[in-house]
Amino acid sequence: MSADFLPRPSAESAPDVTDAATPGAEPAGPHSPATPAQAEAAAAALAPRLFAQAAATDEVGAFPTQEFGWLRAAGLLTAALPPALGGAGLHEPAATLPLLRTLQHIGRGNLAVGRVFEGHVNALMLIQQLGTQAQAARYAADARAGRLFGVWNTEVPADGVRLEALPNGRYRLHGAKTFASGAGHLARPLITGALPEGRGWQLFVLPADRQAPALDRSFWRPLGMRATASFRADLTGLEIGPDDLIGPPDAYYRQPAFSGGAIRFAAVQLGGAEAVFEETRAFLRGLGRIDDPYQRQRLGEMAIALESGRQWVRGAAEHAARPGAAEATEATEATVAYANMMRTAIETICLDMLRLAERCVGARGLLEPQPFERLHRDLTHYLRQPAPDGALADVGRFVLEGKNFVS
């Protein structure tokens, strides 16, 4: 196991971990992707390998360490960085389509890997957008070294993370995050915390390989997505310095970037739906059921749903890449509303795909070692994203106010 993925603690409080190299690390490949198209191709090539391995880590408390070694070897852990910092430029608005397709391919291979990888990409993009030039360079070096990033922003309000200012200019942390995906394995989680005296929310990077949070593993007993290690992480007593703060207060919640980022997790979800489609087709072909008219009808519906999802990905990418889409301008509302529309449509597509697949494969297909049982659990769980009703209502408000999506 690489030192870049933190070893699993044996106690509730995770021990400090050094940066010393550990046997088993897979260095970045000699031909890491240099363009968005190359990154997308690398993800497409890796997806079957991820899928073949997915069942091996489908356990509560497990983590796909080996799989992230493969992503590193393929150059995908740095793909969201600018080329000048060793990346493929997937962070650029003009590269949104290959970014979403890259995420879709990884989700097609393994939704748990896709969830954590999307968080890694999100964190690197936030640092590029909100951090200083020195921070961007420093954390890019960490990504090139194979260290995993992520974003932890979910908490119980009464026990949420807050920053206590110390006389020496540093901050002591109090409180915990829940659903902290990759906990115990991320070296650089980006975390939101409340500043003293109601001065807003501050985004910061926790050097978790040197200051490890205490993990409550009993929190994560999920239906699906078992291998994401989404534990409760208690940061109480840890300290960070001013160089660990990313951007000004409340910068993380600025629109359209905050809600507009939903198109990324929706792309991963669509990858899961694509895996359901592909496995359903292979299952029926293996049984010789390709001449059954009802199976043909259901596969036709599934093919339409999948292609609809692909068109939503393309539309979301085109919308995000238009001039001014990523800025806080009058186009902000349109960007957010379109992202909410896309995530809602993808959710519906995924649910339809699961329903149709169940009818296609029947009870036999839902038995192990067939992959459908795991795919159903993972996709059903991953579709439960925050505020789905609010997202759809926001689309309705936008159009009822007479506003339009600018192409």
Side-chain angles (χ1 to χ4, degrees):
M1 181 178 68
S2 167
D4 307 318
F5 308 102
L6 307 186
R8 189 178 307 161
S10 58
E12 289 299 302
S13 180
D16 288 340
V17 181
T18 68
D19 284 328
T22 311
E26 290 199 47
H31 304 293
S32 294
T35 67
Q38 290 175 359
E40 180 186 340
L46 188 57
R49 191 179 182 190
L50 292 172
F51 189 86
Q53 179 68 12
T57 55
D58 182 33
E59 297 180 7
V60 173
F63 190 78
T65 301
Q66 178 177 238
E67 289 85 333
F68 276 97
W70 298 343
L71 264 70
R72 184 190 179 192
L76 290 170
L77 295 188
T78 56
L81 296 174
L85 294 177
L90 284 181
H91 69 298
E92 292 286 353
T96 304
L97 183 56
L99 168 63
L100 297 182
R101 286 176 171 168
T102 296
L103 292 167
Q104 183 180 340
H105 287 309
I106 300 302
R108 173 166 59 92
N110 185 331
L111 278 171
V113 175
R115 163 69 188 94
V116 179
F117 178 63
E118 190 277 327
H120 175 85
V121 168
N122 186 15
L124 291 180
M125 293 177 68
L126 284 167
I127 291 171
Q128 296 297 315
Q129 294 164 5
L130 303 175
T132 65
Q133 189 173 16
Q135 287 174 324
R138 181 168 82 245
Y139 292 120
D142 280 339
R144 291 195 301 272
R147 292 182 176 85
L148 276 182
F149 289 69
V151 179
W152 297 349
N153 64 0
T154 306
E155 61 185 36
V156 177
D159 189 34
V161 172
R162 64 186 190 278
L163 284 68
E164 174 194 357
L166 300 177
N168 61 2
R170 293 177 61 80
Y171 296 87
R172 181 172 294 125
L173 304 176
H174 302 269
K177 291 294 184 183
T178 54
F179 296 97
S181 293
H185 302 271
L186 302 190
R188 301 288 183 267
L190 259 68
I191 304 174
T192 53
L195 288 166
E197 301 173 352
R199 290 188 283 116
W201 290 87
Q202 179 65 54
L203 188 66
F204 63 90
V205 177
L206 178 70
D209 50 358
R210 297 190 297 275
Q211 297 201 67
L215 304 181
D216 178 3
R217 300 171 186 279
S218 67
F219 172 84
W220 189 237
R221 293 290 184 269
L223 168 69
M225 304 293 280
R226 294 170 173 172
T228 60
S230 299
F231 308 133
R232 178 183 180 273
D234 192 340
L235 280 61
T236 301
L238 305 181
E239 290 187 13
I240 58 173
D243 289 344
D244 299 317
L245 306 184
I246 303 296
D250 295 326
Y252 172 68
Y253 294 104
R254 289 177 186 166
Q255 298 290 14
F258 179 65
S259 297
I263 63 176
R264 291 191 301 271
F265 71 65
V268 179
Q269 293 169 343
L270 184 63
E274 185 174 2
V276 171
F277 172 81
E278 291 178 349
E279 291 305 304
T280 302
R281 178 169 56 179
F283 182 83
L284 294 177
R285 288 173 63 87
L287 292 178
R289 300 293 302 278
I290 61 176
D291 293 326
D292 185 298
Y294 303 110
Q295 298 288 20
R296 287 181 173 183
Q297 178 179 323
R298 283 190 284 265
L299 262 291
E301 291 184 67
M302 293 174 74
I304 291 170
L306 179 58
E307 181 59 24
S308 297
R310 289 169 176 161
Q311 293 304 319
W312 274 109
V313 166
R314 179 181 292 276
E318 292 175 352
H319 201 80
R322 78 193 194 285
E327 301 169 4
T329 65
E330 59 184 13
T332 294
E333 276 194 281
T335 301
V336 171
Y338 199 96
N340 283 332
M341 190 162 59
M342 182 264 201
R343 65 169 278 192
T344 303
I346 295 295
E347 179 189 6
T348 299
I349 288 166
C350 291
L351 291 172
D352 287 344
M353 195 76 77
L354 290 174
R355 174 181 56 81
L356 290 164
E358 286 178 358
R359 296 183 69 84
C360 285
V361 306
R364 180 191 303 182
L366 297 176
L367 299 175
E368 294 182 355
Q370 296 294 336
F372 295 103
E373 182 263 348
R374 172 179 52 80
L375 288 170
H376 276 246
R377 285 189 289 100
D378 284 353
L379 187 53
T380 298
H381 198 113
Y382 193 34
L383 287 173
R384 294 306 104 222
Q385 294 294 324
D389 297 324
L392 182 56
D394 182 70
V395 176
R397 176 199 57 77
F398 181 84
V399 296
L400 282 172
E401 291 176 355
K403 298 171 182 176
N404 298 302
F405 299 101
V406 180
S407 60

